Amino acid sequence: MSSTCSTVARELDEPVAGTAATARTWLLLEQPGPWGAKALTSSHLDPALGRALEAAAKGTGVRIALVRRAGRHADSGVPALRRVYVAHTVPGNVWLHTTTLTDPGRLLGLDFAALGRGEPGTFDAVLGGAVHEGDPLALVCTNGKRDRCCALLGRPLAAELAASGVEGVWEVTHLGGHRFAPTVLVLPYGYAYGRAEAHAVKEVLHGAQEGRIVVEGCRGRSAWERPGQAAELAVRRAVGEYGAAALDVVTTEGAAPRWTVTVAHADGRRWRVEVVQGASQPPRPESCGSALGSPARMDVVDVREVTVSSPAR
């Protein structure tokens, strides 16, 4: 069997920090059955509805994904009742709401711009949503039509987690970064993980319940663009700060290939982090079946605490 993209990336020890999908808000719709490469328009969801949802979410900061329970995915007909989640991942306003519905077309009644801004009112009012009272969600990418690594590695991980009694485990359509499979997104905080193993995911979920972040294997927080993701993780490592609510990315200055990111602590401390975009060498496939390339990587070259001036009296 030829090497998969994830095997090559693992052998080359390609860093995962700063590779998470970006989204301030995640909207998840339960859709059993098989998924195509572009699941919103190539699954058993009405493709016209999928296109309308894509259009409604465009430019709002909301990312829509399909989810299904771990296990076999034979066509069992249209589900009578679908679970829906929406999560906002920006520090200071983190929340996860949920509901069930029979008609997914009702999602078009949502104010996507408001959801992207972190306002859950439209979800609750339109769909009868409420705060999710259960455990954090672990979304495991298993869409083999996007990349075979996600099926080969993601599906066994999701099944193992579900079989061991972990609550909140779902398979999800696409989290990007196939070469880091199996990939997992944890909500409500929005931290993504690569090369995930069951014991590590359990540790991540336990931490999330207590408001702590596990840095090992972390790709970044989806609320931020990739330089910010890398910078925040670098500060966490540098100062040993693992509180989920402790850090925020307040400014990102510059443009590729170099940025200066300011990371702020809830206690008032600040750091300026220099992030440089490099090219992964030697060349490797970004996904299975693709040509060899040099995927962009986010390298943190400096972390410096800065003094914040006290306001004049």
Side-chain angles (χ1 to χ4, degrees):
M1 178 179 173
S2 60
S3 293
T4 61
C5 66
S6 61
T7 300
V8 175
R10 188 186 294 265
E11 289 174 347
L12 294 174
D13 197 25
E14 184 176 342
V16 301
T19 68
T22 55
R24 294 191 302 273
T25 302
W26 291 83
L27 178 63
L28 310 173
L29 169 65
E30 183 177 1
Q31 177 58 58
W35 297 330
K38 295 185 177 180
L40 273 181
T41 53
S42 55
S43 67
H44 290 176
L45 184 70
D46 178 0
L49 173 59
R51 286 190 292 272
L53 288 170
E54 286 179 336
K58 186 175 182 180
T60 64
V62 177
R63 184 171 176 135
I64 304 174
L66 303 181
V67 296
R68 63 192 177 195
R69 292 293 185 184
R72 300 186 62 177
H73 307 302
D75 182 8
S76 57
V78 177
L81 201 61
R82 302 169 189 255
R83 175 63 59 181
V84 183
Y85 294 99
V86 65
H88 191 62
T89 65
V90 176
N93 186 28
V94 171
W95 47 260
L96 174 60
H97 287 218
T98 188
T99 191
T100 56
L101 49 75
T102 55
D103 175 15
R106 294 177 61 198
L107 295 174
L108 292 174
L110 296 174
D111 183 339
F112 283 87
L115 292 175
R117 292 192 300 268
E119 302 166 12
T122 176
F123 184 82
D124 296 348
V126 172
L127 302 180
V131 173
H132 171 65
E133 301 288 355
D135 292 340
L137 303 185
L139 309 174
V140 183
C141 184
T142 63
N143 190 351
K145 295 296 185 182
R146 296 281 308 201
D147 192 283
R148 60 176 172 158
C149 287
C150 297
L152 291 172
L153 301 175
R155 290 188 64 187
L157 174 62
E160 181 180 354
L161 289 169
S164 65
V166 176
E167 298 292 333
V169 177
W170 293 86
E171 298 187 6
V172 69
T173 45
H174 183 49
L175 297 177
H178 318 294
R179 64 192 183 280
F180 304 122
T183 61
V184 179
L185 176 71
V186 176
L187 293 176
Y189 295 113
Y191 284 92
Y193 291 83
R195 303 182 184 126
E197 298 180 0
H199 68 90
V201 175
K202 292 176 184 178
E203 182 183 348
V204 167
L205 291 172
H206 180 69
Q209 283 183 309
E210 299 181 345
R212 288 185 294 102
I213 298 306
V214 173
V215 172
E216 186 67 30
C218 191
R219 300 175 62 195
R221 190 170 192 159
S222 73
W224 300 310
E225 297 296 327
R226 292 181 176 180
Q229 295 173 11
E232 188 244 17
L233 290 173
V235 171
R236 287 191 180 279
R237 289 192 178 95
V239 302
E241 176 55 76
Y242 306 111
L247 299 181
D248 197 0
V249 173
V250 292
T251 62
T252 300
E253 303 167 88
R258 193 177 191 98
W259 299 266
T260 300
V261 181
T262 301
V263 178
H265 195 287
D267 66 10
R269 286 178 291 164
R270 290 195 170 207
W271 296 265
R272 289 176 68 83
V273 184
E274 300 296 327
V275 183
V276 175
Q277 179 177 301
S280 299
Q281 296 294 340
R284 77 286 310 273
E286 289 199 48
S287 59
C288 288
S290 68
L292 295 181
S294 300
R297 53 183 283 170
M298 295 293 146
D299 294 319
V300 173
V301 297
D302 188 47
V303 178
R304 184 176 307 170
E305 186 170 356
V306 294
T307 302
V308 179
S309 301
S310 300
R313 294 191 177 184

